[in-house]
Amino acid sequence: MPVVFDIGDGSQDALLVRIRAGGHEGWGECEASPLTSIASYICPMSHSACKPLQYSVEGKNIDAVEDIKRISESVHEHSPDLLQSDHTLSGIDIALWDLLGKKLNEPVYHLLGHKKNFPKLPYASQLFGNTAEETFAKARNTNAAGFHAVKFGWGPFGKSGVEPDIAHLAAAREGIGKDAYLMIDAGTVFREDVDEAKKRLQALEHINAYWFEEPFISGALDAYKKLSLSDPKIPLAGGEGCNNFVQAQAMIEYAGLNFIQIDAGRIGGISIAKRVADLAVAKNIIYVNHTFTSHLALSASLQPYAGMEQHLISEYPVELKSLAQEIGKEKIIPDNNGHIYAPDRAGLGITVNTDRLKKYLVDVEIKVKGKQIYYTPEL
Amino acid sequence: MPVVFDIGDGSQDALLVRIRAGGHEGWGECEASPLTSIASYICPMSHSACKPLQYSVEGKNIDAVEDIKRISESVHEHSPDLLQSDHTLSGIDIALWDLLGKKLNEPVYHLLGHKKNFPKLPYASQLFGNTAEETFAKARNTNAAGFHAVKFGWGPFGKSGVEPDIAHLAAAREGIGKDAYLMIDAGTVFREDVDEAKKRLQALEHINAYWFEEPFISGALDAYKKLSLSDPKIPLAGGEGCNNFVQAQAMIEYAGLNFIQIDAGRIGGISIAKRVADLAVAKNIIYVNHTFTSHLALSASLQPYAGMEQHLISEYPVELKSLAQEIGKEKIIPDNNGHIYAPDRAGLGITVNTDRLKKYLVDVEIKVKGKQIYYTPEL
């Protein structure tokens, strides 16, 4: 976007990945800092375990699911000390699945082994208002738009004491009505401070919160676990900050979560997200996508658990900036029952609207030793 | 270095951080991809939780320990979704401690609360040879150089079956003699595969390995735990891949480790490393530095546990490329008892040899929307 605001809205910029191979094209999206991720793709090698991602990607064949797995494993083998690599790999992996699906004329969820495409209940995901009145107005609008579930998060929550938080929580419940699912997202505001988070539990119980999300930073296993054992008992959700499988595994096994939330654009793509979804089934914990960007990202995030009937809930962004809105020609829209589905089209089923995106394209140039090693490609 | 080889030698490039404030100057080093870390420092803001690191650093006062803590917390608050940020923060935090130590005329370990500077036993840290014969020759040289402890790692280990590994292990022990500590570092080669790692335990017991390091990727808590409970029981070491406190905490609490290895240049700097060192004491696990680069990095990595008498072992790089050798004017050299110490000088006690480094300086230029946002500064 021409102007990026200092708010928790992840749709204000976008890093798209386009991969071409064998006459086919795939698109993916990283939920990550664009410039930093680009740098990780083309940087000079530091040593054997800190290679740029292009080392594992370019010139490879993409004919079968195994080829995607091989690229993902190569990145993990050759770039583990390049911290940004998992975020960058995410968009690459998503683009590879899109490409392979188009080549084989199959939706990605089929290629992942899902037999059926089950309905998901989208929750309207949005930021708290700056005041409780604004939160109330937003909740009313969401109710009027027909959503049966809604999430409020970030904004002022946790930043100015318990009383204002209680007012926001009450306003949210009042605005959406007593029957809708209401999720609350603290946006990691309490860091590792269990006592501060505990002070909100009573109010969360009072509004019948469906879950309490990310009270703490990702990976703060002890803090999550302690809160999960506190009274009153509010179901906990977290995991969007995980950038690899073992981090998500730790959150599932040690954090006392009821919901594991995975962003395919951060965890290493659809391949790793599917591994987490399988683990969630095995460990009897509910898998939920994390998505706060485009419908290309939304499609990617639905694929890993499209065939998991019991895992019903889906994050659905409703406050997208125009950039994120214009990325996909097709939209994933709730049907008459209020449900959404992974697109039943080849690949991710979303055509990237390159014409509409030209106006947002940012020229980036990177030179090392006077030699240009990156320039923003043509759309 | 003019040429970077595809080997596990992290001294082939360097990202130095220089911070000036109030007439003082501090230096730090990131153990990280230079270009990617630079990008994370100056990238455009994506949203409130994905800001460039410069947001939290520039224009701030550095008068007391609390000021360093505030900057570290600001990075964690404003850049949690910028994955590379912890690696970049590491060099910044180290430079801030160096600067504050010079300003207050105190060694950093004093400022951290350590009363005494206890001796550390350095182990000569090096790569396996390409053949068992090469490993034997390296071990003999290390023995001749007077080291009482040695570590071999990476190279061919784990990559061509159990028999060649056993030959390398036997050669290492034979070369250094039966009394020296011998550590073995698998360099994460077995990923999450416990059975493959188990096949080496017998041979590790046979050579009386002091520890078995990083058989698995960082954060693979279950795999580490299972191996720690296997027979024969070999002490496990790991943690160098941790890039924040809670990851190290999880490794300490759930991985069955005997040694937690922390790289101050990756985990967020000296501040976070000190937090891990304190936790190691509380949890009765041995803290060890991870250092495979310059003596500036070595000094930074010694500070967090300089005052912890029981935590004796220290990684000591002995195969540094000339770049890493020339960074510091002063060296940290084993004394007649074979011990090293954190320098008893102000800050980190290492003067960066800017004159000698000029020949290695790499010109980097980054432009966004035609505007230069980074150019390599003068040394």
Side-chain angles (χ1 to χ4, degrees):
Chain A
M1 296 298 294
V3 179
V4 172
F5 297 98
D6 191 358
I7 55 174
D9 173 1
S11 76
Q12 302 182 84
D13 65 6
L15 177 59
L16 294 176
V17 176
R18 176 177 61 194
I19 297 183
R20 291 182 176 135
H24 296 275
E25 189 174 276
W27 286 87
E29 186 176 346
C30 304
E31 176 55 5
S33 164
L35 182 66
T36 313
S37 303
I38 289 166
S40 75
Y41 187 76
I42 47 87
C43 61
M45 171 169 74
S46 289
H47 54 79
S48 62
C50 194
K51 297 191 185 113
L53 273 81
Q54 67 183 157
Y55 174 92
S56 297
V57 176
E58 292 178 18
K60 303 292 189 293
N61 288 326
I62 304 298
D63 297 315
V65 167
E66 282 305 304
D67 296 321
I68 300 178
K69 191 177 172 200
R70 199 172 300 121
I71 287 177
S72 179
E73 288 176 352
S74 176
V75 170
H76 289 125
E77 181 183 347
H78 294 286
S79 308
D81 288 350
L82 181 44
L83 189 49
Q84 189 72 13
S85 63
D86 291 311
H87 278 192
T88 314
L89 169 62
S90 299
I92 292 168
D93 180 271
I94 291 168
L96 289 170
W97 282 103
D98 186 41
L99 187 151
L100 187 65
K102 287 172 181 166
K103 181 186 166 88
L104 303 177
N105 197 28
E106 294 273 8
V108 169
Y109 70 83
H110 260 184
L111 299 179
L112 290 170
H114 291 304
K115 305 275 184 255
K116 255 194 94 172
N117 191 7
F118 285 101
K120 303 294 175 198
L121 179 69
Y123 66 81
S125 187
Q126 53 198 315
L127 306 179
F128 278 110
N130 290 321
T131 61
E133 291 70 28
E134 270 184 43
T135 294
F136 175 76
K138 285 180 131 188
R140 282 294 287 267
N141 289 342
T142 313
N143 177 295
F147 282 98
H148 304 297
V150 60
K151 186 173 86 185
F152 284 98
W154 298 73
F157 190 83
K159 291 185 173 165
S160 42
V162 178
E163 289 308 316
D165 288 355
I166 292 175
H168 276 280
L169 294 175
R173 173 53 78 195
E174 198 184 335
I176 63 149
K178 72 176 174 38
D179 294 331
Y181 292 153
L182 173 58
M183 293 82 159
I184 300 299
D185 180 359
T188 77
V189 72
F190 304 119
R191 320 299 306 158
E192 302 166 51
D193 189 340
V194 179
D195 290 337
E196 269 306 311
K198 271 189 183 174
K199 294 177 187 165
R200 278 76 181 174
L201 291 182
Q202 208 82 52
L204 288 162
E205 185 185 46
H206 189 70
I207 63 157
N208 189 25
Y210 189 74
W211 72 48
F212 189 30
E213 176 175 340
E214 281 214 318
F216 311 115
I217 56 170
S218 202
L221 306 175
D222 280 12
Y224 278 100
K225 186 71 181 182
K226 277 182 197 146
L227 191 66
S228 78
L229 300 171
S230 297
D231 192 49
K233 204 169 159 51
I234 308 294
L236 295 183
E240 70 178 80
C242 295
N243 61 277
N244 62 35
F245 175 76
V246 292
Q247 287 175 9
Q249 183 178 29
M251 290 290 277
I252 287 173
E253 293 188 0
Y254 300 110
L257 296 182
N258 302 78
F259 300 90
I260 182 79
Q261 302 170 295
I262 298 301
D263 197 315
R266 280 186 190 155
I267 200 154
I270 291 171
S271 303
I272 306 294
K274 175 62 162 58
R275 252 191 101 186
V276 179
D278 290 344
L279 182 67
V281 171
K283 297 287 180 179
N284 207 20
I285 179 174
I286 301 292
Y287 182 97
V288 187
N289 67 304
H290 173 264
T291 309
F292 212 81
T293 54
S294 73
H295 284 221
L296 178 70
L298 180 60
S299 174
S301 77
L302 288 170
Q303 309 291 336
Y305 78 123
M308 288 160 47
E309 188 174 10
Q310 311 301 319
H311 303 247
L312 177 69
I313 304 288
S314 166
E315 177 162 37
Y316 188 82
V318 292
E319 294 186 322
L320 293 183
K321 291 284 185 289
S322 60
L323 161 65
Q325 279 177 23
E326 294 183 54
I327 286 174
K329 279 188 188 167
E330 304 83 358
K331 306 288 178 223
I332 297 171
I333 304 290
D335 66 12
N336 290 338
N337 297 316
H339 291 134
I340 60 170
Y341 293 82
D344 263 315
R345 295 185 290 272
L348 297 176
I350 303 286
T351 315
V352 170
N353 205 337
T354 49
D355 282 346
R356 300 268 298 263
L357 294 181
K358 283 188 207 302
K359 61 182 176 291
Y360 299 108
L361 198 62
V362 173
D363 277 339
V364 172
E365 182 183 16
I366 302 177
K367 282 186 183 173
V368 173
K369 295 181 184 173
K371 195 184 148 199
Q372 187 186 81
I373 61 168
Y374 182 81
Y375 194 84
T376 303
E378 297 279 322
L379 255 184
Chain B
M1 297 297 295
V3 179
V4 172
F5 297 98
D6 190 358
I7 56 175
D9 173 0
S11 76
Q12 303 181 83
D13 66 5
L15 176 59
L16 294 177
V17 176
R18 178 178 58 195
I19 297 183
R20 291 183 178 132
H24 297 275
E25 188 174 276
W27 287 85
E29 186 177 347
C30 304
E31 176 56 6
S33 164
L35 182 66
T36 313
S37 302
I38 289 167
S40 74
Y41 187 75
I42 47 85
C43 61
M45 171 170 72
S46 288
H47 54 81
S48 62
C50 194
K51 296 191 185 112
L53 274 81
Q54 67 183 159
Y55 173 91
S56 297
V57 176
E58 293 177 16
K60 303 293 188 291
N61 288 326
I62 304 297
D63 298 315
V65 167
E66 282 304 304
D67 296 321
I68 300 178
K69 192 177 172 202
R70 200 172 300 120
I71 287 177
S72 179
E73 288 175 352
S74 177
V75 170
H76 289 124
E77 181 183 346
H78 294 286
S79 308
D81 288 352
L82 181 44
L83 190 49
Q84 190 72 16
S85 63
D86 291 311
H87 277 192
T88 313
L89 168 63
S90 299
I92 292 168
D93 180 90
I94 292 169
L96 290 170
W97 282 103
D98 186 41
L99 187 151
L100 187 65
K102 288 172 181 166
K103 181 186 167 88
L104 303 178
N105 197 29
E106 293 274 8
V108 170
Y109 71 82
H110 260 184
L111 299 180
L112 290 169
H114 291 304
K115 305 273 182 259
K116 254 194 93 173
N117 190 7
F118 286 102
K120 302 295 175 195
L121 180 68
Y123 66 82
S125 187
Q126 52 198 316
L127 305 179
F128 278 110
N130 290 321
T131 62
E133 291 70 28
E134 271 184 44
T135 295
F136 175 76
K138 286 179 130 188
R140 283 293 287 267
N141 290 342
T142 313
N143 177 293
F147 281 98
H148 304 298
V150 60
K151 185 173 87 184
F152 285 98
W154 298 73
F157 191 84
K159 291 186 173 163
S160 42
V162 178
E163 290 308 315
D165 288 355
I166 291 176
H168 276 281
L169 295 177
R173 173 53 78 193
E174 199 185 332
I176 63 148
K178 71 177 174 37
D179 294 330
Y181 292 151
L182 174 57
M183 295 81 159
I184 300 299
D185 179 359
T188 77
V189 72
F190 304 120
R191 320 299 306 158
E192 301 165 52
D193 188 340
V194 179
D195 291 337
E196 269 306 311
K198 270 188 182 175
K199 293 176 187 166
R200 278 77 180 173
L201 291 183
Q202 208 81 51
L204 289 162
E205 185 185 45
H206 188 71
I207 64 159
N208 190 25
Y210 190 73
W211 73 48
F212 189 29
E213 175 175 341
E214 281 215 318
F216 311 115
I217 56 171
S218 202
L221 307 175
D222 280 13
Y224 277 98
K225 186 71 181 182
K226 277 182 196 147
L227 191 66
S228 78
L229 300 171
S230 298
D231 191 50
K233 205 166 159 50
I234 308 293
L236 296 183
E240 70 179 80
C242 296
N243 61 276
N244 62 37
F245 174 76
V246 292
Q247 287 175 10
Q249 184 179 29
M251 289 290 277
I252 288 173
E253 294 188 359
Y254 299 110
L257 296 181
N258 301 78
F259 301 89
I260 182 79
Q261 302 169 294
I262 297 302
D263 197 317
R266 280 187 189 153
I267 200 154
I270 291 171
S271 303
I272 306 294
K274 175 61 162 58
R275 252 192 102 187
V276 178
D278 290 344
L279 183 67
V281 171
K283 297 286 180 179
N284 206 21
I285 179 175
I286 302 292
Y287 182 98
V288 188
N289 67 304
H290 173 264
T291 309
F292 212 81
T293 54
S294 73
H295 285 221
L296 178 70
L298 180 59
S299 174
S301 78
L302 288 170
Q303 308 292 336
Y305 77 122
M308 288 160 47
E309 188 173 11
Q310 311 301 319
H311 303 246
L312 178 68
I313 305 288
S314 166
E315 177 163 38
Y316 187 82
V318 291
E319 295 186 320
L320 292 183
K321 292 283 185 290
S322 60
L323 161 64
Q325 279 175 24
E326 294 183 54
I327 286 174
K329 279 188 188 168
E330 304 83 0
K331 305 289 177 222
I332 297 171
I333 305 290
D335 65 13
N336 290 337
N337 297 316
H339 290 136
I340 60 170
Y341 294 82
D344 263 315
R345 295 184 290 272
L348 298 176
I350 304 284
T351 316
V352 171
N353 206 336
T354 49
D355 282 346
R356 301 268 297 262
L357 294 182
K358 283 189 206 300
K359 60 182 177 290
Y360 299 107
L361 197 62
V362 173
D363 277 338
V364 171
E365 183 184 15
I366 302 177
K367 283 186 184 172
V368 172
K369 295 181 186 174
K371 193 183 150 199
Q372 188 185 82
I373 61 169
Y374 182 81
Y375 193 85
T376 303
E378 298 279 322
L379 253 182

